[in-house]
Amino acid sequence: ETGVTQTPRHLVMGMTNKKSLKCEQHLGHNAMYWYKQSAKKPLELMFVYNFKEQTENNSVPSRFSPECPNSSHLFLHLHTLQPEDSALYLCASSQNTGLDEKLFFGSGTQLSVL
Amino acid sequence: QQQVKQSPQSLIVQKGGISIINCAYENTAFDYFPWYQQFPGKGPALLIAIRPDVSEKKEGRFTISFNKSAKQFSLHIMDSQPGDSATYFCAASTDYKLSFGAGTTVTVRA
């Protein structure tokens, strides 16, 4: 099984709901990432954390709120989402944030916003 | 704007054939070019990567060809197998922030 575990695998929520996505990595990595994957589009980097500190926020709307309590866990808190936010949300980790770091992805959470 | 353009969007190849996926970029500062493979229901996984000081890199049946002057790179899958059926993403970066292509879905027919 992958070293990066994401829960839940599927999530359906209304626009007024609040939910959270969880990611856990068992690889001893120092960096964690959130990516958004929409059909037929490139993966979009959302947030990067390195040693629990946020190092990248790629102009993500405030209705997405990340949290990284330690180097092994990463959350994405969701509130008042829009239908266009429906996508596969992927968590990834890497040893560090160097140029040629290998990313290890989880299987993602398929989010549907109604 | 899309920093890495990938083509084709999908392709079908017979078992034993060659699959070729092409990517082009504009940012000459890009210094690392990986390819990721994604199976349905799974996250992407690193397949092979190249730095611009090398024109070709081969790992098993997978080969990256890199043309720095043309700002293009491609993935060749030799002797394609049904197990190679997946979506392939090229990417490029100057640091840890990868810019991905839109993906190519490869279907290998037995």
Side-chain angles (χ1 to χ4, degrees):
Chain A
E1 184 53 82
T2 178
V4 180
T5 304
Q6 289 188 244
T7 55
R9 291 297 306 272
H10 302 273
L11 179 62
V12 179
M13 59 187 290
M15 289 190 285
T16 58
N17 291 159
K18 290 184 179 180
K19 296 287 184 182
S20 296
L21 309 185
K22 179 182 176 181
C23 176
E24 183 175 2
Q25 58 98 357
H26 311 276
L27 301 169
H29 289 167
N30 299 313
M32 296 188 77
Y33 310 72
W34 280 115
Y35 278 88
K36 177 183 179 181
Q37 184 174 24
S38 303
K40 309 301 182 187
K41 287 187 173 182
L43 276 73
E44 299 174 47
L45 179 63
M46 300 175 71
F47 302 103
V48 181
Y49 280 82
N50 192 34
F51 290 97
K52 302 188 301 177
E53 298 299 319
Q54 186 179 121
T55 59
E56 182 75 18
N57 177 336
N58 198 22
S59 302
V60 180
S62 60
R63 57 186 184 269
F64 295 90
S65 176
E67 178 189 1
C68 188
N70 54 61
S71 292
S72 299
H73 293 86
L74 185 64
F75 296 88
L76 188 62
H77 304 298
L78 316 172
H79 63 97
T80 59
L81 293 191
Q82 304 300 310
E84 59 264 28
D85 297 322
S86 298
L88 181 68
Y89 289 85
L90 290 163
C91 173
S93 70
S94 63
Q95 186 63 56
N96 292 300
T97 52
L99 169 65
D100 54 0
E101 290 290 339
K102 178 178 178 181
L103 290 179
F104 291 78
F105 284 89
S107 295
T109 294
Q110 186 66 53
L111 174 66
S112 297
V113 181
L114 304 179
Chain B
Q1 67 281 18
Q2 198 168 326
Q3 297 202 58
V4 179
K5 294 185 178 180
Q6 184 172 347
S7 63
Q9 190 174 92
S10 63
L11 68 90
I12 299 173
V13 63
Q14 291 296 121
K15 179 181 176 182
I18 302 173
S19 303
I20 302 175
I21 306 169
N22 300 299
C23 288
Y25 63 95
E26 288 298 322
N27 186 351
T28 55
F30 283 146
D31 203 31
Y32 174 64
F33 302 87
W35 286 86
Y36 279 78
Q37 179 189 53
Q38 184 178 26
F39 294 105
K42 300 291 186 181
L46 180 64
L47 182 64
I48 186 173
I50 198 168
R51 298 290 298 272
D53 54 344
V54 176
S55 62
E56 185 175 284
K57 183 175 181 179
K58 182 177 181 179
E59 289 186 4
R61 296 183 292 105
F62 299 89
T63 300
I64 300 178
S65 297
F66 186 82
N67 186 330
K68 189 173 182 177
S69 61
K71 293 184 287 185
Q72 295 176 348
F73 58 112
S74 60
L75 177 70
H76 291 62
I77 307 174
M78 314 300 287
D79 186 26
S80 297
Q81 300 296 313
D84 298 330
S85 296
T87 299
Y88 295 81
F89 295 92
C90 62
S93 73
T94 59
D95 51 27
Y96 60 90
K97 293 176 285 186
L98 289 170
S99 294
F100 283 89
T104 297
T105 300
V106 174
T107 303
V108 182
R109 293 272 166 81

